[in-house]
Amino acid sequence: MRILVSNDDGYFAPGIEVLARTLAPVAEVVVVAPERDRSGASNSLTLDRPLMLRTAANGFHYVNGTPTDCVHLAVTGMLDRLPDMVVSGINHGANMGDDTIYSGTVAAATEGYLLGIPSIAVSLAGKPGEHLQSAAAVALELVKRFQREGFGEPVLLNVNVPDLPPERIRGMRVTRLGRRHKAEGMVKQVNPRNETVYWIGAAGAAQDAGEGTDFHAVASGQISVTPLQIDLTHNAQLDKLSRWIA
């Protein structure tokens, strides 16, 4: 089995090293990741300049582009055959609810899915990031499940693991995406050159976080596994829109 591993935190991030090392005993692992932190890059592709592929001393490959660039380059321009899976992570912080729209971690997995490859995005839902091995163990378990029986159809999974030691995690839960409140406003500052600069404000707190959501599962100490899809069509509005524009 060949697994393509990527992320959005950069090829030097602790999470991707732990993930690659954990998956190595069960598969051929190829790492292609951004050369720097590209958190929040979403599904963007680099179209205004060429990409360069380099190799670090540890054998990881890195690209001067986005997470989506990395997976696209690896699958369509670097590897001699398709990987059997794409695993993206381990992200330092949660990717739940609305986060999935902006997340580079989810975007890397999404690109694999769009290229016809079963894909998983794995995030450690806690900023201290003390228990990367817990998230890596979950990724390994899911990979082994794919090895044993596959899923039978294209699949894109968004996995959020509580930042807890394995013995304190209360199992795995299949969930839907929750929702956040509106993000906080821009943070306005003046830099040392007396120029006004702006920082993106923090993500909003959980709003739709009831039973069955990814927020609820993680808050309950459970692993959240959410199947994602790409179709953004608002099917419930099709008839209303047809009448509105008639």
Side-chain angles (χ1 to χ4, degrees), residues 49-102:
R49 57 181 170 80
L51 298 173
M52 297 189 68
L53 178 69
R54 295 184 173 91
T55 304
N58 63 357
F60 290 3
H61 305 285
Y62 61 95
V63 176
N64 60 331
T66 68
T68 300
D69 288 331
C70 293
V71 174
H72 194 85
L73 186 156
V75 173
T76 67
M78 170 189 164
L79 298 175
D80 57 352
R81 62 178 176 85
L82 285 178
D84 300 291
M85 291 189 71
V86 172
V87 183
S88 179
I90 299 165
N91 191 66
H92 184 196
N95 277 308
M96 300 186 290
D98 312 60
D99 302 340
T100 56
I101 299 296
Y102 303 100

Side-chain angles (χ1 to χ4, degrees), residues 8 21 65 71-72 108 122 139 156 167 205 226 236:
D8 71 354
R21 174 163 39 86
V71 174
H72 194 85
V122 183
L156 170 60
E167 64 273 12
T226 308

